[in-house]
Amino acid sequence: RTYQPLHAYFCSAPAKSVEISQRGLLAVSWGSRVQVWKDALADKAKAPYMNHSQRGGQSAAAIQNVRFCPYEDVLGIGHSGGFSSILIPGAGEPNYDSFVANPFQTRKQRREQEVHSLLEKLQPDTIVLGPESLGNIKLDPKEVIAQKKQQQRDAEASRLSKQREKNEAKTKMKGKNKPSKRHRKRQLNIIRDNKKDLQDLLGSKKPKNAAEDKKAQGVPSALKRFF
């Protein structure tokens, strides 16, 4: 078996950079020139698809590198004067596979893709749970368990003590703040000017009532109200 080139193309100077696009276009740069060949790898092309001469100011700029932009018909050119880009129709793939490479993916989709790619590199044995550790319970030492139980008992006793004090305070205050009692207390603090006159009036009515009761003895109860 012999190895030999399938197709050969002529350049006026040694090629500085070679790039192949997603659709099979071949870009070759040397000096300040760029040539793009179409279907140059499948068949022998008779003439270049496109020619480009890079100018940097008044003189030609030496091209250092060329790169095709994925999924775009753009060729980037890095030269001594900076960077330039030219349009190459038919260079980029128009239909992209979002599961392989999505140029419009969001930040969340990019993170998920990175995680999936890392998981695919790992062996299945390194990412599964250990069967010998499943179903086991990690018990705390006896001292730790006793300390936790004591803390729970202290907290419960403190809660019950506070609740008991609160209930006792409610029992002592029960019925002490009724509206009728508040009104009666306010009335006891009032000093009336006619208190003496009222007491004398009540004292004078008692003998009169006693005489009327004596006169009404022996009268039917229905007629006592007329005496």
Side-chain angles (χ1 to χ4, degrees):
R1 178 180 294 181
T2 59
Y3 294 97
Q4 58 183 358
L6 297 176
H7 311 291
Y9 296 92
F10 172 77
C11 295
S12 58
K16 183 71 173 179
S17 178
V18 178
E19 177 73 358
I20 300 175
S21 72
Q22 293 176 321
R23 300 301 298 272
L25 272 69
L26 176 64
V28 183
S29 67
W30 70 90
S32 61
R33 294 182 60 83
V34 178
Q35 279 188 351
V36 180
W37 298 79
K38 188 174 184 180
D39 300 330
L41 304 179
D43 299 322
K44 174 65 176 177
K46 297 181 180 180
Y49 178 57
M50 293 188 70
N51 280 310
H52 176 72
S53 180
Q54 184 65 40
R55 296 291 178 182
Q58 299 296 331
S59 59
I63 296 175
Q64 303 296 328
N65 204 352
V66 291
R67 286 290 183 272
F68 282 104
C69 182
Y71 305 101
E72 298 286 345
D73 296 339
V74 178
L75 176 64
I77 303 172
H79 48 81
S80 58
F83 175 81
S84 301
S85 61
I86 58 175
L87 294 177
I88 308 295
E93 179 65 40
N95 302 317
Y96 63 89
D97 188 358
S98 60
F99 292 100
V100 177
N102 184 5
F104 306 105
Q105 65 183 355
T106 61
R107 183 181 298 178
K108 182 179 180 181
Q109 291 174 342
R110 183 167 61 254
R111 287 200 301 265
E112 292 179 355
Q113 184 180 5
E114 291 175 356
V115 172
H116 285 299
S117 61
L118 291 175
L119 292 176
E120 289 175 357
K121 291 181 181 179
L122 297 175
Q123 295 296 328
D125 299 338
T126 61
I127 58 177
V128 297
L129 297 174
E132 66 279 356
S133 61
L134 292 177
N136 295 333
I137 300 175
K138 184 178 179 181
L139 298 177
D140 294 332
K142 294 182 179 180
E143 296 80 4
V144 177
I145 295 175
Q147 184 179 1
K148 289 182 178 179
K149 288 184 178 180
Q150 184 62 32
Q151 291 177 354
Q152 291 178 357
R153 285 195 292 269
D154 294 343
E156 184 68 16
S158 177
R159 186 184 67 82
L160 292 176
S161 177
K162 290 181 180 179
Q163 185 67 27
R164 194 176 296 110
E165 293 175 359
K166 187 176 180 180
N167 292 339
E168 290 176 358
K170 283 185 177 180
T171 304
K172 290 179 181 179
M173 293 298 295
K174 187 175 181 181
K176 296 242 177 177
N177 202 22
K178 288 184 177 179
S180 59
K181 286 200 172 187
R182 290 202 304 268
H183 179 71
R184 192 156 49 246
K185 287 181 180 179
R186 284 198 295 267
Q187 293 298 325
L188 292 175
N189 295 329
I190 297 174
I191 300 176
R192 295 186 176 181
D193 297 336
N194 58 349
K195 185 175 181 181
K196 183 65 175 174
D197 298 337
L198 290 175
Q199 291 177 353
D200 296 341
L201 181 60
L202 290 174
S204 63
K205 281 185 177 181
K206 285 181 180 179
K208 185 178 180 181
N209 293 336
E212 290 177 354
D213 293 340
K214 189 175 181 180
K215 187 186 294 185
Q217 289 180 359
V219 180
S221 58
L223 301 175
K224 284 185 178 180
R225 61 194 183 110
F226 296 106
F227 290 91

